[in-house]
Amino acid sequence: MFTGLVEEVGVLEAIQGNEQASRLVIRAQQVLEGVKLGDSISVNGICLTVTSYTNRQFSVDVMPETMNKTSLRQLRSGQRVNLERAMRLGDRFGGHIVSGHVDGTGMVASREVNANAVVFRIEAKSQLLKYVIVRGSICIDGISLTVVDVNDNGFTVSIIPHTLANTSLADRRPGDLVNLETDVIGKYVERLLGYQNLGGTEKSGGLSLAFLQENGFA
């Protein structure tokens, strides 16, 4: 479990393998403090397992499913990546609930300066946008952000200078892919209400207004 508060921006030193299955070697410092084999580290919002490490870098294996569903397939050596260690019990929870399980990718459609902020417009598919709400939480490349606006083909987020200076969003330009993880609470609520996670068709049974009324809840 993560919070979406990036601890460090690392650098991808090497990609071993191919576009289907790879081993990434990432240069880092802060996230290596106390690291152990098998630890989870969020890399651009993706929960990955440490398979080897030194005092200046660590390696993670990436399977075909992850390569196909995330922006990792477009990473190149030398690019910067957002890093966060899994949270510890008792840590401050400054972001929002982030699982590190990316729902899909979006594309940076525009980037505009607005006073002291930079507003990013992200285009995404409808099956992701149905979980995105104004003033709700969204995780972009591992960064916990607040949604400013939503329409039929995308949403906007406003980035303060601190976030821009301390994450890889500073490198993102129109046309770039970003990893998206929507608010997990919305997905669970949908499932409990009796809808299929991806298809959006109603199932028989499940929680409904009629059921609540019949049982004295409404």
Side-chain angles (χ1 to χ4, degrees), residues 53-186:
Y53 64 91
T54 67
N55 61 358
R56 61 177 298 275
Q57 65 185 30
F58 68 96
S59 299
V60 293
D61 291 330
V62 184
M63 60 185 174
E65 172 72 7
T66 304
M67 295 295 287
N68 292 335
K69 295 291 178 65
T70 72
S71 66
L72 286 185
R73 62 187 181 274
Q74 293 192 344
L75 279 181
R76 299 293 180 266
S77 296
Q79 285 188 271
R80 303 195 307 155
V81 291
N82 297 320
L83 303 175
E84 181 191 355
R85 290 169 290 186
M87 68 179 300
R88 297 172 297 187
L89 190 64
D91 282 353
R92 285 191 175 93
F93 207 150
H96 73 280
I97 299 173
V98 177
S99 68
H101 302 157
V102 171
D103 292 306
T105 57
M107 186 185 72
V108 178
S110 64
R111 168 181 170 150
E112 298 178 356
V113 176
N114 182 15
N116 68 335
V118 176
V119 177
F120 283 81
R121 171 158 184 76
I122 309 295
E123 292 182 350
K125 294 181 179 179
S126 59
Q127 56 260 47
L128 294 182
L129 290 174
K130 67 179 180 178
Y131 302 116
V132 181
I133 64 171
V134 175
R135 305 294 181 266
S137 297
I138 185 76
C139 188
I140 301 178
D141 276 352
I143 309 163
S144 175
L145 296 169
T146 300
V147 176
V148 174
D149 195 15
V150 185
N151 64 22
D152 291 340
N153 59 8
F155 63 93
T156 58
V157 290
S158 185
I159 311 301
I160 62 173
H162 175 82
T163 302
L164 202 64
N166 291 280
T167 71
S168 66
L169 268 184
D171 306 331
R172 296 289 171 261
R173 296 293 184 273
D176 288 346
L177 286 184
V178 290
N179 295 317
L180 302 178
E181 182 185 335
T182 58
D183 193 347
V184 67
I185 295 174

Side-chain angles (χ1 to χ4, degrees), residues 33-46:
E33 295 175 3
V35 71
K36 303 184 298 296
L37 289 180
D39 279 356
S40 295
I41 293 179
S42 171
V43 179
N44 276 359
I46 307 160

